[in-house]
Amino acid sequence: MTEYNTATRTEHPMPVLEEWNRPFFAAGVNGEIRLQLCSKCNRTIYYPRAFCPRCGSEDYSWETQPLEGTIDSFSKVWKAENPYFDPELPFYIVLVELGNGIKFFGRLRVASGVPAIGDPVSAEFVQIDDEVWLPRFVRG
Amino acid sequence: MPSEAVIVGSYQTPYVKNPTETTLYFILKSIGGVLNKYGISPTEVDGLGVSSFLMGPDNTTTIAEQSGICAKWTYQGSAGGAAHVAGVLDAQQAIINGSAETVVISAADSYSVAVHNKLMNDFNSSMRDYIAPHGFGGTNGLFAMLQRKHMADYGTTREQLGKLSVIQRENAAHNENALLRTPLTIEDYLNCRQIAEPIGLYDCVMPCGGGESTLLMSKAKAESLGLPYVEILAGDYRSNYGGDQFLLMSGAWAEFQSEMFSRAQISHSDIDVVGLYDDYPIMEVIQLEGLGFCPQGEGGRFIEDTDISVIGDLSINTGGGQLSCGQTGAGGGAIALTEVLMQMNGEVEVQRQVPGPELGVVSGFGMIGFGKGTGQSAMILKKG
């Protein structure tokens, strides 16, 4: 699922792309979450880093991650910090424990029911510009 | 030649809601304020530290120029609300080592809700790149997730958290510099509008303009000048404790508090007065747990069972804290220390004076990065 709105593109808060995070932001084009896997110590790295935060190695590969997880915590937000998001209020933010144990931050789309800690969620992707897709989670 | 170092005291500027004054104004007013309060001239000062989110294009060195200070030792705070306490600890070491003898540590910002929100979108690279693009409700959203998890994992209740907001507001009624002084009931707290569930209006601080500066010097100089002083028995801090934890339920205090109390040679039950970094009541609970006043997860029950008023067993944020006084950006990391120093130096309004406080703990926290606060600091103080 993709959404691309050129009219609002310049107002959307954007990440700064670096050598070590471009593949992370681009992975959504294929409906994937990709994270760095350290070639030396096998750590899965999140958020994307310039070098492994455990062993310091600059060698890594980009590996696909599970697209399902459970809610670790969440909040229903009534006041946005950036007026760009005012039309979306109230919205949910979530910390999801993915199947590999990584705790991933994003927005939660509640398709049905009321969210609770422990609920299963799955990832979908929102396109922001040519190079940036953001994973978002869906409950219900 | 090692020199004992002491804190003479702090000066706090008036706090201003929606300030037109600049950050430079609040930094310089706080430095000038502390120098004049204790009769020290800039030419006598040989160490300077500043913590501020918005001080650019200035830095500690250019503030030294503005102040007329030639500094042999400098500190540029980077740990947000943990930086002022960490800077005071570093200043103590500088004086002990002989790098400087008379040091001013300042923390200030010209802050408001609008300024805070703008800062949150570009606060640092991890928040900018991996949180802000999603839309997140600012720090309210992040601490809401932390509070929800603490409530779920440990049974912490909103009533327990609200007791902090309510008692601190009672304290603020006797603090002329507090911006919020009208009484708050627990019903007000529980029924107020939600900002980011479960964080409500009275869990949130009011950003404002202001600053405070702390003066340290060698004990010998303080005594020769007949100045009051407070001793730092021990302290510690960490930057980026907790690895990749997004919700930091247990901060660095848990790692260093035991050694800190043991170096100070006192126990938790000896402490009379506490200054906690209160950006949110849930963080006060997490600090109490981390500092060892109660076990991990028991902070809510500890608040419920303890008289935390100015006449109670453990007086917490006796001036109202940030929750009732306002948050002056990075200056929020200094208000707790200022209040404890004023308590020990007998400078507060009599209705909020803790009877004979001898020993205190001050805690700093801040610099939110990828979810968690990356700065934690604390110190144990003894009335001189």
Side-chain angles (χ1 to χ4, degrees), chain A residues 32-45:
Chain A
E32 293 174 344
I33 294 175
R34 281 189 179 258
L35 296 176
Q36 297 152 302
L37 177 68
C38 176
S39 307
K40 188 167 161 194
C41 77
N42 257 1
R43 180 188 179 93
T44 295
I45 298 168

Side-chain angles (χ1 to χ4, degrees), chain A residues 12-16 18 20-21 24-25 43 46-49 53 72-82 85 88 91 93-95 103-107 117 128 134-135, chain B residues 113 117-118 120-121 125-126 128-142 144-146 148-149 152-153 193-199 240 243-244 246-247 370:
Chain A
H12 196 292
M14 295 298 289
V16 170
E18 300 273 10
W20 58 81
N21 68 21
F24 169 80
F25 287 112
R43 180 188 179 93
Y46 174 73
Y47 55 86
R49 300 301 215 286
D72 194 63
S73 191
F74 68 96
S75 178
K76 186 173 185 181
V77 175
W78 290 91
K79 291 197 74 180
E81 78 295 354
N82 186 326
F85 295 105
E88 301 173 32
F91 58 75
I93 54 173
V94 68
L95 190 69
K103 295 197 181 175
F104 205 101
F105 173 80
R107 284 274 292 274
I117 290 175
I128 306 302
L134 297 179
Chain B
V113 172
N117 284 342
K118 188 163 173 233
M120 286 304 105
N121 261 279
S125 54
S126 61
R128 175 197 65 203
D129 296 343
Y130 307 107
I131 298 181
H134 295 271
F136 67 113
T139 53
N140 299 328
L142 300 176
M145 292 208 289
L146 182 68
R148 181 181 296 281
K149 188 143 175 74
D153 286 0
R193 70 184 155 100
Q194 289 282 290
I195 304 294
E197 298 175 19
I199 294 268
N240 193 41
D244 280 335
F246 191 92
L247 299 176
F370 188 57

Side-chain angles (χ1 to χ4, degrees), chain B residues 152-170:
Chain B
D153 286 0
Y154 300 124
T156 303
T157 67
R158 292 190 66 224
E159 285 79 358
Q160 291 162 347
L161 296 167
K163 181 175 171 180
L164 287 160
S165 298
V166 169
I167 302 282
Q168 287 181 208
R169 184 65 70 87
E170 281 173 22

Side-chain angles (χ1 to χ4, degrees), chain B residues 7-11 32-41 44 213-215 217 225 227-229 341-342 345 347:
Chain B
I7 301 177
V8 170
S10 277
Y11 169 82
V34 82
L35 294 180
N36 285 302
K37 183 175 178 183
Y38 296 107
I40 304 296
S41 72
E44 291 175 70
S213 285
T214 302
L215 176 66
M217 57 178 69
L225 292 175
L227 292 171
Y229 60 80
L341 293 172
M342 287 174 66
N345 285 336
E347 294 174 31

